[in-house]
Amino acid sequence: MIYFDNAATTQTLPSVVDAMLPFLRSNYFNPSAQYSAAQDAKRTLEQFRSYMAKTLGAKPSEVRFTSGGTESDNWALKGIALANRGKGKHVVVSAIEHHAVLNSAVWLERNGFSVSYVQPNQWGVIEPEALRNAMRPDTVLASVMAANNEVGSIQPIKELASVAHSSGALFHTDAVQAYGHILLNVRDLGVDALSVSAHKLHGPKGVGMLYARKGMPIESFVHGGAQERGYRAGTENLAGIAGMVQACRLLFGEDGSSPAALQKNAAHCAELKRKMVNQLNSLIRDCRTNGAENSLPGILSVSFKGVSSEALLLLLDRDGLCASAGSACASGSLEPSHVLQSMGVAPEWARGTIRFSFSELNTEREVSQAAQIIANAVAQVRDA
Ligand code: PLP
């Protein structure tokens, strides 16, 4: 099998599983309990928090563990909007967000907020000027993802955050695809909130974090006990968090601020992407890539004109190649993705779009094999 769907999820690395096992087998204590074994677990949890904070240039108290990207996005959108509703009831999101953000915005609309959707340019980039035009005096929050999950375009987050702030609004970024793949520092970027998920960087599924700037007003979203300093109730998923920390250690080093491995992986993926584009262009007519020049090293969106991506994916699967049509959640539907539509990609191209996404575990040999498999599949669909 050739696995080119790393933006959907990644393989949980063996050392990540190893880091989790002690918290399932022997160190299973509830960090909120009083005896010393549980207090050790609590100390470990706080060490994990400090580590994760370092990878983003944040303070430990600004890191809140969650069940993943979807929860972090829901919490940021709903929690920040509700906490600031006294100042205004308008929220701005980009039209190319993941549904975790888009459907949270829809929920806000059903609950008395108005939402504006900012369109990207043809490369899938949200221009600061476009955000500026959407801001209103009653805007309390703007949310634009750090990099898009379908086409990989990296967004000008620092400039966008500054536009939001100059209008008096807070700024959240969904960094689920970007974190662990490009360097992000919350102070440099000037963001107020940032979402992360572990399973996009070889960590376990069902765990992530929300960076929430100290002092930023945000409502709690999961109510119950006093965990996460009372911000997010529920017994902590220590095994999952241990797995996330180990996945990050492999990228950011033991101290959380030595990202040599992250940069090496990024260079490797960028090279695989470059080779894949060259090979597809030489083997297949009428194919082109989507997204910006400045895009995530591991994400490649390719459109094959006049081809159905569903038919293509079936043939690729038959030959052992895993990829996605747009994003994993949009696949299965015959509608072209909302991201490609909003970029203005013509329907005859958008319908034949496949996302290939790489990790450092992929090889150049796989790229050559995959390009041949894809060329055969496209020819078969076009001849049918
Ligand atoms: N945001 C983006 C940009 C994503 O790509 C994803 C997952 O595909 C999510 C949020 C949701 O993250 P999770 O799967 O951890 O809930």
Side-chain angles (χ1 to χ4, degrees):
M1 184 177 96
I2 300 178
Y3 186 73
F4 281 176
D5 202 15
N6 289 281
T9 197
T10 53
Q11 184 193 338
T12 318
L13 289 175
S15 78
V16 168
V17 177
D18 289 346
M20 295 172 73
L21 287 177
F23 296 96
L24 298 168
R25 287 206 169 114
S26 49
N27 194 355
Y28 49 81
F29 309 102
N30 186 329
S32 300
Q34 295 306 309
Y35 32 87
S36 51
Q39 289 304 299
D40 284 348
K42 173 91 186 150
R43 265 190 295 280
T44 305
L45 178 69
E46 293 314 314
Q47 284 162 7
F48 287 160
R49 194 186 307 283
S50 300
Y51 180 87
M52 292 307 293
K54 274 212 181 127
T55 67
L56 278 172
K59 296 193 187 91
S61 60
E62 295 173 317
V63 167
R64 290 145 196 201
F65 294 118
T66 66
S67 65
T70 299
E71 184 190 327
S72 299
D73 286 344
N74 271 262
W75 190 3
L77 268 280
K78 299 174 188 174
I80 297 172
L82 288 176
N84 292 281
R85 63 185 179 279
K87 294 187 191 145
K89 287 190 141 191
H90 180 239
V91 168
V92 179
V93 300
S94 90
I96 57 168
E97 295 298 306
H98 188 271
H99 281 101
V101 167
L102 287 178
N103 286 340
S104 295
V106 169
W107 184 91
L108 286 170
E109 284 182 298
R110 282 206 308 269
N111 286 274
F113 284 80
S114 63
V115 178
S116 299
Y117 298 85
V118 184
Q119 300 300 317
N121 64 21
Q122 61 180 304
W123 295 285
V125 175
I126 305 297
E127 292 173 0
E129 206 42 43
L131 179 63
R132 198 185 318 278
N133 292 337
M135 301 303 287
R136 303 192 324 210
D138 61 340
T139 311
V140 288
L141 172 67
S143 179
V144 180
M145 65 204 323
N148 180 261
N149 49 304
E150 291 190 29
V151 297
S153 302
I154 295 173
Q155 308 299 325
I157 292 304
K158 190 173 177 158
E159 290 77 9
L160 294 168
S162 147
V163 166
H165 290 157
S166 59
S167 302
L170 294 163
F171 187 84
H172 163 254
T173 188
D174 172 346
V176 166
Q177 292 291 342
Y179 177 81
H181 300 280
I182 56 172
L183 287 177
L184 300 169
N185 179 298
V186 289
R187 306 267 175 254
D188 291 349
L189 294 173
V191 297
D192 300 294
L194 179 147
S195 303
V196 164
S197 176
H199 74 104
K200 310 290 186 182
L201 41 120
H202 303 289
K205 293 161 189 58
V207 61
M209 67 179 178
L210 179 68
Y211 156 78
R213 183 179 52 72
K214 191 164 187 270
M216 179 192 61
I218 178 168
E219 283 276 333
S220 293
F221 173 60
V222 179
H223 303 283
Q227 291 91 352
E228 298 295 296
R229 296 181 175 80
Y231 290 116
R232 195 263 189 190
T235 303
E236 297 87 346
N237 172 10
L238 205 46
I241 295 166
M244 174 162 69
V245 167
Q246 173 58 21
C248 290
R249 283 207 169 104
L250 298 172
L251 298 168
F252 297 93
E254 278 307 306
D255 64 353
S257 53
S258 313
L262 182 156
Q263 284 158 331
K264 186 164 166 244
N265 292 350
H268 176 72
C269 289
E271 185 57 15
L272 294 184
K273 179 156 125 175
R274 200 183 60 76
K275 290 218 153 73
M276 182 87 159
V277 171
N278 285 345
Q279 295 195 27
L280 291 179
N281 278 331
S282 71
L283 291 169
I284 306 171
R285 69 177 158 80
D286 280 342
C287 79
R288 67 184 187 205
T289 60
N290 304 299
E293 189 74 32
N294 183 24
S295 63
L296 289 177
I299 293 189
L300 171 62
S301 167
V302 189
S303 297
F304 304 95
K305 191 179 179 194
V307 171
S308 137
S309 56
E310 278 75 18
L312 202 51
L313 281 178
L314 282 178
L315 293 178
L316 299 183
D317 184 33
R318 182 198 62 187
D319 290 340
L321 173 57
C322 303
S324 287
S327 70
C329 13
S331 61
S333 101
L334 285 172
E335 275 294 293
S337 90
H338 66 287
V339 174
L340 297 173
Q341 275 184 16
S342 66
M343 287 164 62
V345 177
E348 70 268 28
W349 288 94
R351 281 202 199 91
T353 301
I354 307 277
R355 177 188 70 185
F356 303 101
S357 45
F358 312 109
S359 90
E360 71 277 16
L361 302 180
N362 293 124
T363 63
E364 288 189 14
R365 189 153 173 266
E366 287 180 318
V367 166
S368 303
Q369 288 172 339
Q372 200 55 62
I373 291 172
I374 298 160
N376 294 343
V378 171
Q380 196 174 329
V381 177
R382 280 184 175 156
D383 288 350

